[in-house]
Amino acid sequence: MVLRFDDFAAGFLAGSVSRTLTAPADRVKTEMQIQTGARQSVLTVCRRVRAAQGVKGFFQGNLTNCIKVAPQSALFFALSDYFRKVLPTESDSRGLQPGLRSFCAGTLAGVASQLIIYPLEPIKTCLTIAPHGRYDGILDCGRQLVREGGTRALFRGVAPTLAGCVPYAGTQLLAYDTLQKTCKGFGTHTRLPTITSFCCGLASSSLAMIVSYPLMVVRTRLQVQGASQYTGPADCLRKTVEHEGLRGLLRGIGPNLAKAAPAAAVNFALYEFLRDSIGGFWRC
């Protein structure tokens, strides 16, 4: 398997920038996802975080998030491009329709990139919501998680996460490729303007998030509350619906869309721009 350097580098830079810009929304989203009692509004959560930690509280855990997201973004884009090329096309005897090909490429790239960097996910989640001073950093948080729950603690919630990659990454790339192809059909340019890539990324990511969000709630609760509350993903899903109804599976979707959809849109737009820029420079 040969991954293109410009795909990897562009994805790495785009992931770092987009995640930092949307860190405050990520903090609010995580706080709302783990609520199990009376529901607090977005404004109430913002006030509570600011009162406890100030503006810096909204960026708590962002370094870990970038360390996780940057290589994940790089791997996703590089693998997506790779799978688009190696999966059979319509011209082959066992070829795939363009839409199904994009869905499969996104799913395979999403699952692979998530699995490789997954141990950083529970560390990021715990650092994001932990009281100030509880952990000395990424390594200390990882050590405490392993000490309390063994190596399995670093993979807590991995099942719903990988399951969520199928509808999320697959739907996202399918919608993005379809919108890109449609937009290119209206003009003569082979490369779309950055704002168009942003809009395509925003629409495709919003759709993918709505489809896969219940699995994200299950994953986050397993990471934070773990074995003390749930025996596994199915038990977490059942108890959430029993105690909170179906609305419990959509808790925090507002701030999550406000964070994840623009972050993914910036990610796609920056990736397209940087890939062309880096590719042009690399070929010089």
Side-chain angles (χ1 to χ4, degrees):
M1 179 189 297
V2 178
L3 303 182
R4 288 165 52 109
F5 171 79
D6 49 350
D7 282 329
F8 193 87
F12 190 94
L13 292 171
S16 300
V17 173
S18 63
R19 195 54 53 163
T20 300
L21 290 175
T22 56
D26 187 56
R27 173 67 193 270
V28 175
K29 177 266 299 184
T30 304
E31 291 283 351
M32 294 190 73
Q33 280 183 335
I34 63 173
Q35 290 177 16
T36 55
R39 184 173 182 177
Q40 294 182 331
S41 67
V42 173
L43 187 58
T44 301
V45 172
C46 288
R47 286 172 175 166
R48 175 162 56 80
V49 172
R50 190 174 185 278
Q53 297 171 278
V55 176
K56 288 176 62 178
F58 291 100
F59 292 89
Q60 182 171 303
N62 185 57
L63 176 60
T64 309
N65 213 358
C66 286
I67 291 173
K68 167 192 170 287
V69 169
Q72 180 187 341
S73 174
L75 284 168
F76 175 77
F77 283 117
L79 288 170
S80 294
D81 187 65
Y82 172 79
F83 285 124
R84 279 195 194 102
K85 293 175 180 175
V86 299
L87 287 174
T89 61
E90 283 184 292
S91 60
D92 300 326
S93 58
R94 293 177 143 184
L96 301 174
Q97 294 289 332
L100 181 58
R101 198 155 154 263
S102 292
F103 184 87
C104 290
T107 298
L108 291 170
V111 169
S113 59
Q114 274 282 3
L115 185 61
I116 290 170
I117 53 81
Y118 189 82
L120 284 170
E121 179 66 32
I123 293 175
K124 181 269 296 185
T125 301
C126 290
L127 282 174
T128 299
I129 63 170
H132 182 68
R134 178 171 180 178
Y135 302 113
D136 290 334
I138 298 171
L139 293 178
D140 180 58
C141 181
R143 278 195 296 266
Q144 290 195 40
L145 287 176
V146 171
R147 186 165 60 246
E148 293 168 6
T151 306
R152 290 179 59 186
L154 297 179
F155 290 90
R156 195 174 286 155
V158 68
T161 296
L162 295 182
C165 279
V166 177
Y168 181 79
T171 300
Q172 183 186 49
L173 198 62
L174 166 61
Y176 183 76
D177 284 351
T178 302
L179 289 170
Q180 285 258 307
K181 184 178 179 180
T182 302
C183 291
K184 287 178 181 177
F186 288 110
T188 58
H189 301 290
T190 56
R191 182 182 178 276
L192 293 174
T194 301
I195 185 63
T196 305
S197 295
F198 177 87
C199 292
C200 291
L202 186 66
S204 61
S205 299
S206 297
L207 175 62
M209 182 62 61
I210 293 170
V211 169
S212 62
Y213 191 76
L215 290 169
M216 294 181 64
V217 173
V218 171
R219 177 200 68 188
T220 303
R221 292 189 174 188
L222 284 172
Q223 288 172 348
V224 176
Q225 291 149 355
S228 63
Q229 296 285 334
Y230 310 110
T231 58
D235 182 55
C236 179
L237 182 66
R238 180 181 59 80
K239 287 182 178 177
T240 298
V241 174
E242 279 183 1
H243 299 150
E244 304 168 55
L246 293 176
R247 290 181 61 186
L249 296 176
L250 297 176
R251 208 169 255 192
I253 193 170
N256 197 57
L257 277 172
K259 182 272 300 186
V266 170
N267 208 14
F268 272 107
L270 279 175
Y271 165 74
E272 297 283 0
F273 174 78
L274 291 169
R275 181 187 60 179
D276 291 339
S277 300
I278 294 171
F281 176 80
W282 192 250
R283 287 189 291 271
C284 290

